[in-house]
């Protein structure tokens, strides 16, 4: 090869290399741009002073939402005329946290309007924009998980472990699922057609509703607030959160942190609003014409009122109203192996858990073994305030926290006394607990009750307390009947060595969710819908079903090749109808051809169709 040929080869090779380098450079540049757009945006939100161990404040004797009206020390600094206020306090110690203004009807109307305006821009955001907001909040939550747990502990009296499991872990799980799979659930979905419409294509588009609201309970202030927020905004909506008055202080912290996240990502924080009001003002929200969906988490009594109010504007509602969740323990189950799971199921957050286990239904042959194991463990539970100052710090010597308040203690003690009078055995606890170090805390003793009958009132009512009820059964059919024998149908657990029997029992239960050889793990899998049946409510949040419930499913059907095939009205059925006989022959022949079971029917229908055309 001559020198000219060698030079040509070198030039060609250099061009190839240069072209490859140029292409790689473009790829790297675009990749970095995309990654930069997706990367979490860092932001900060200061921890409130009351979340620290060294926090000192007035200790309220018999604290309540209106304690500031009786004690001038608790009054707001600059009260505004015409406003009512809410006393915020730590239920495990009685420490005063703040006294905050309750929203008026005018405030609620204004907040809905602000959310409505901000949603107009947000509904045009891309999936990447929405993921970035959620990814940014997830990064902040992981970084500040201890602060968030302390805030929850301070406002509800729970322990750090209860906060980590019920608040942090579940919220992170939901954020991760929506970030990774939310778009797949909400992007336009192609649907199947049929022979008659073979020239058409159809899709379902999930469009934002506008402004939605979530009216949430107090037992998990972080998760119950953030969960509906992230579902709502990822679906393209604005959201108004109505928190419980009992967790106003912590809800304000969490929601302001999320608003800061929105602002840091370049979006209007008015997209997310917090309402804290008394029950008398709540209907302003539930009957507002601009509220397009209501999610309610709470009691059956209040849930019914919400559902009735929603009829004013025919607003769709998702109701999660709690339950009386059973745990069926099948014969030959290893009692010691599963006892830790059962303890967590009964005493997580001191029983203030909508999917907590309230009834343990155990075979008579293992009743004594179960009672012996649980008696030893329940007696060892230690109650207290996880944030009370001590030389040891927090967590190490505390198993359970306080109740949210003592309003229901008289009712709980009555239910327990009635059960005892009817033959139940109060083995451990059974009364309110007067803590030796935190006199103004709201504590109820962890309770174990044996020989409970399914007909007892305590076995039929949701107690929402640290009470483990134990019911005997003799046959599996009887166990299922007992489990199904209440008005509720939220969750359930089935334990046993026989996987097939566990599955059969699970299918026989009247409820929305079942964990086999586990407790409530269906909620950690956020791809699953969450909700129940019967008096436990209706509708679902969580999973694709929960996201789609916050949208308007709009069907769009169009021609595949409009230049080749479009709908036209055959002469036989065109107005004005020319012949009743001919038109009937045409339509009946079409039905026979399309839907006849036998080939002869189809052929006969086709011939009639041709003759009538």
């Amino acid at each position: 090869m001559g020198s000219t040929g060698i030079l040509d080869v070198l030039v060609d090779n250099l061009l190839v290399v240069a072209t490859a380098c140029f292409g790689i450079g473009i790829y790297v540049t675009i990749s970095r741009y995309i990654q930069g757009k997706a990367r979490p945006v860092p932001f900060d939100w200061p921890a409130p002073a009351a979340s620290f161990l060294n926090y000192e404040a007035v200790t309220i004797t018999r604290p309540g939402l209106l304690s500031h009206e009786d004690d001038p020390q608790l009054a707001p600094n600059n009260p505004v005329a015409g406003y009512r206020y809410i006393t915020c306090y730590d239920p495990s110690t009685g420490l005063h946290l703040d006294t905050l203004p309750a929203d008026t009807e005018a405030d609620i109307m204004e907040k809905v309007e602000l959310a409505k305006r901000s949603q107009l821009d947000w509904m045009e955001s891309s999936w990447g924009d929405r993921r970035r907001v959620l990814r940014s909040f997830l990064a902040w939550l992981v970084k500040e998980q201890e602060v968030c747990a302390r805030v929850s502990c301070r406002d509800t009296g729970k322990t750090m472990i209860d906060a980590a499991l019920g608040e942090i872990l579940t919220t992170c799980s939901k954020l991760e699922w929506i970030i990774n799979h939310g778009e797949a659930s909400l992007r336009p979905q192609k649907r199947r057609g049929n022979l008659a419409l073979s020239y058409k294509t159809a899709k379902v588009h999930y469009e934002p509703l506008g402004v939605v609201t979530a009216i949430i309970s107090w037992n998990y202030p972080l998760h119950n607030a953030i969960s509906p927020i992230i579902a709502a905004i990822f679906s393209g909506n604005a959201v108004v959160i109505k928190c419980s008055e009992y967790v106003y202080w912590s809800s304000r912290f969490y929601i302001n942190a999320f608003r800061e996240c929105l602002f840091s990502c370049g979006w209007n924080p008015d997209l997310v609003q917090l309402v804290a009001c008394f029950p008398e003002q709540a209907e302003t929200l539930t009957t507002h014409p601009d509220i397009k969906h209501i999610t309610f988490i709470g009691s059956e009594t209040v849930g019914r009122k919400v559902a009735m109010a929603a009829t004013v504007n025919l607003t769709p509602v998702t109701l999660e109203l709690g339950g009386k969740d059973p745990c069926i323990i099948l014969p030959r189950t290893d009692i010691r192996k599963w006892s830790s799971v059962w303890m967590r199921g009964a005493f997580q957050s001191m029983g203030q858990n909508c999917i907590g286990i309230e009834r343990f239904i155990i075979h008579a042959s293992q009743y004594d073994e179960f009672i012996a194991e649980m008696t030893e463990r329940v007696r060892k539970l230690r109650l207290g305030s996880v944030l009370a100052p001590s030389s040891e710090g927090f967590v190490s010597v505390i198993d359970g926290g306080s109740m949210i308040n003592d309003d229901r203690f008289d009712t709980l003690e009555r239910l327990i006394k009635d059960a005892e009078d009817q033959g139940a055995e109060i083995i451990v606890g059974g009364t309110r607990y007067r803590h030796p170090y935190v006199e103004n805390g709201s504590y109820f003793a962890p309770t174990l009750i044996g020989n409970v009958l399914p007909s007892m009132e305590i076995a039929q009512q949701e107690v929402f307390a640290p009470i483990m009820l134990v019911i005997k059964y003799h046959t599996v059919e009887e166990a299922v009947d007992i489990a199904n024998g209440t008005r509720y149908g939220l969750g359930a657990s089935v334990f046993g060595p026989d996987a097939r029997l566990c599955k059969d029992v699970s299918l026989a239960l009247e409820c929305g969710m079942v964990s086999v050889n586990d407790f409530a793990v269906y909620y950690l899998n956020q791809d699953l819908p969450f909700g129940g049946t019967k008096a436990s409510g209706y509708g679902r949040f969580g999973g694709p079903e929960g996201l789609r419930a916050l949208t308007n499913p709009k069907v769009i059907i169009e021609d595949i090749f409009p230049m080749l095939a479009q709908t036209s009205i055959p002469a036989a059925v065109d107005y004005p109808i020319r012949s009743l006989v001919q038109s009937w022959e045409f339509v009946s022949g079409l039905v026979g051809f399309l839907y006849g079971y036998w080939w002869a029917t189809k052929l006969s229908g086709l011939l009639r169709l041709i003759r009538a055309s």
Side-chain angles (χ1 to χ4, degrees):
M1 181 182 294
S3 58
T4 303
I6 294 173
L7 184 62
D8 290 341
V9 171
L10 289 174
V11 170
D12 289 343
N13 288 338
L14 285 172
L15 285 172
V16 170
V17 172
T19 302
C21 290
F22 181 73
I24 292 171
I26 292 175
Y27 173 79
V28 170
T29 301
I30 294 174
S31 295
R32 287 183 176 177
Y33 173 78
I34 294 172
Q35 290 172 7
K37 291 285 286 183
R39 188 177 296 122
V41 177
F43 70 95
D44 292 305
W45 192 251
S51 66
F52 294 96
L53 282 171
N54 59 359
Y55 176 70
E56 295 181 357
V58 175
T59 300
I60 310 171
T61 302
R62 290 193 59 78
L65 297 176
L66 301 178
S67 290
H68 61 280
E69 296 181 357
D70 300 321
D71 187 345
Q73 299 179 88
L74 311 178
N77 292 328
N78 298 298
V80 179
Y83 272 82
R84 298 177 67 190
Y85 285 80
I86 296 172
T87 302
C88 304
Y89 60 92
D90 178 348
S92 67
T93 61
L95 281 176
H96 178 240
L97 304 178
D98 209 339
T99 301
L100 301 172
D103 287 307
T104 64
E105 289 88 345
D107 293 330
I108 295 170
M109 297 284 282
E110 181 182 3
K111 289 181 177 183
V112 173
E113 181 62 27
L114 289 170
K116 181 181 177 181
R117 291 176 192 167
S118 66
Q119 191 267 342
L120 298 177
D121 288 333
W122 177 253
M123 68 183 294
E124 303 298 333
S125 62
S126 68
W127 298 117
D129 292 331
R130 299 175 192 181
R131 275 192 290 269
R132 193 179 200 193
V133 171
L134 268 58
R135 194 175 283 121
S136 300
F137 190 81
L138 176 58
W140 176 83
L141 180 58
V142 171
K143 183 182 72 168
E144 301 293 346
Q145 59 181 295
E146 184 180 327
V147 171
C148 291
R150 289 202 312 264
V151 168
S152 183
C153 292
R154 182 66 82 187
D155 213 14
T156 65
K158 66 179 63 177
T159 69
M160 291 290 283
I161 298 302
D162 284 344
L165 292 174
E167 305 264 31
I168 310 297
L169 190 65
T170 51
T171 306
C172 288
S173 177
K174 182 151 190 170
L175 281 161
E176 180 190 50
W177 182 83
I178 294 181
I179 289 167
N180 293 336
H181 306 292
E183 179 183 352
S185 300
L186 293 176
R187 65 185 173 213
Q189 184 182 58
K190 188 173 182 179
R191 295 297 177 91
R192 298 180 182 89
N194 55 34
L195 180 59
L197 296 174
S198 57
Y199 60 99
K200 299 281 189 179
T201 182
K203 286 186 177 180
V204 179
H205 296 253
Y206 297 99
E207 297 183 337
L209 290 173
V211 183
V212 301
T213 189
I215 302 170
I216 56 177
S217 58
W218 43 259
N219 53 338
Y220 292 104
L222 167 64
H223 183 72
N224 286 350
I226 299 302
S227 174
I229 287 175
I230 59 181
I233 69 167
F234 197 83
S235 305
N237 301 297
V239 60
V240 179
I241 298 295
K242 194 280 180 192
C243 69
S244 165
E245 306 93 296
Y246 289 102
V247 290
Y248 188 2
W249 179 80
S250 57
S251 298
R252 189 175 64 156
F253 170 76
Y254 298 132
I255 289 178
N256 282 340
F258 200 97
R259 286 167 58 89
E260 180 66 18
C261 175
L262 282 166
F263 178 78
S264 299
C265 293
W267 296 97
N268 189 341
D270 286 342
L271 192 69
V272 175
Q273 298 288 334
L274 173 65
V275 165
C277 65
F278 288 99
E280 296 84 352
Q281 285 75 47
E283 277 204 3
T284 305
L285 187 62
T286 54
T287 60
H288 197 294
D290 288 329
I291 294 297
K292 302 304 181 183
H293 184 277
I294 300 171
T295 298
F296 176 80
I297 303 172
S299 70
E300 180 187 348
T301 301
V302 179
R304 288 179 180 275
K305 293 179 180 178
V306 169
M308 291 174 66
T311 63
V312 172
N313 296 299
L314 296 180
T315 307
V317 182
T318 294
L319 294 178
E320 194 269 274
L321 306 178
K324 191 71 179 173
D325 287 13
C327 172
I328 295 179
I329 302 170
L330 295 171
R332 297 183 294 106
T333 298
D334 189 330
I335 300 298
R336 179 156 293 187
K337 175 182 178 181
W338 297 114
S339 61
S340 293
V341 177
W342 297 332
M343 287 290 291
R344 177 60 59 182
F347 299 108
Q348 163 81 19
S349 293
M350 285 292 94
Q352 299 168 117
N353 183 6
C354 60
I355 49 175
I357 301 174
E358 294 220 0
R359 296 175 294 153
F360 288 82
I361 304 169
I362 185 156
H363 193 265
S365 65
Q366 293 186 286
Y367 174 83
D368 291 340
E369 181 187 1
F370 180 88
I371 290 294
E373 179 73 19
M374 291 299 130
T375 299
E376 181 181 358
R377 299 196 63 155
V378 175
R379 278 182 176 155
K380 291 179 179 179
L381 291 177
R382 298 155 294 183
L383 305 186
S385 170
V386 77
L387 294 180
S390 70
S391 58
E392 294 127 347
F394 54 85
V395 172
S396 57
V397 295
I398 300 299
D399 299 305
S402 72
M403 306 290 280
I404 194 68
N405 55 47
D406 62 3
D407 291 354
R408 296 173 53 251
F409 285 6
D410 288 343
T411 298
L412 292 175
E413 289 176 344
R414 179 190 65 78
L415 289 172
I416 292 169
K417 181 64 168 59
D418 287 350
E420 185 177 30
D421 291 344
Q422 295 175 56
E425 181 183 4
I426 315 304
I427 301 167
V428 181
T431 62
R432 67 193 74 198
Y433 175 64
R434 304 191 184 280
H435 202 285
Y437 305 117
V438 278
E439 297 177 2
N440 295 296
S442 300
Y443 296 93
F444 199 89
T447 298
L448 174 63
I449 306 178
N451 288 324
V452 175
L453 299 177
S455 58
M456 292 177 178
E457 187 179 2
I458 198 170
Q460 293 292 320
Q461 279 194 25
E462 181 182 33
V463 294
F464 221 61
I467 300 174
M468 178 180 276
L469 304 177
V470 189
I471 303 172
K472 294 179 189 175
Y473 73 90
H474 295 86
T475 67
V476 173
E477 291 75 13
E478 181 189 4
V480 171
D481 288 342
I482 292 170
N484 290 337
T486 72
R487 318 176 50 248
Y488 300 99
L490 187 56
S493 297
V494 179
F495 286 81
D498 185 333
R500 177 170 292 181
L501 181 57
C502 286
K503 180 70 173 293
D504 290 343
V505 170
S506 299
L507 291 171
L509 295 177
E510 298 169 356
C511 61
M513 305 160 292
V514 184
S515 288
V516 173
N517 287 328
D518 216 324
F519 153 66
V521 288
Y522 40 74
Y523 195 61
L524 201 56
N525 180 352
Q526 286 293 323
D527 198 40
L528 300 174
F530 183 93
T533 186
K534 302 199 294 190
S536 290
Y538 51 79
R540 296 293 186 268
F541 55 84
E545 294 85 352
L547 286 179
R548 291 172 183 170
L550 301 173
T551 67
N552 170 43
K554 178 185 286 184
V555 171
I556 297 179
I557 185 165
E558 54 191 334
D559 298 312
I560 300 174
F561 302 111
M563 299 296 291
L564 298 178
Q566 290 185 308
T567 298
S568 61
I569 304 298
V573 291
D574 197 8
Y575 289 124
I577 300 296
R578 300 166 190 175
S579 168
L580 182 60
V581 173
Q582 184 183 11
S583 60
W584 174 253
E585 281 294 301
F586 181 90
V587 174
S588 61
L590 180 64
V591 171
F593 171 63
L594 292 175
Y595 305 112
Y597 181 78
W598 306 104
W599 280 107
T601 306
K602 287 182 175 292
L603 182 58
S604 173
L606 178 59
L607 293 174
R608 292 169 65 195
L609 182 64
I610 293 172
R611 283 197 301 267
S613 297

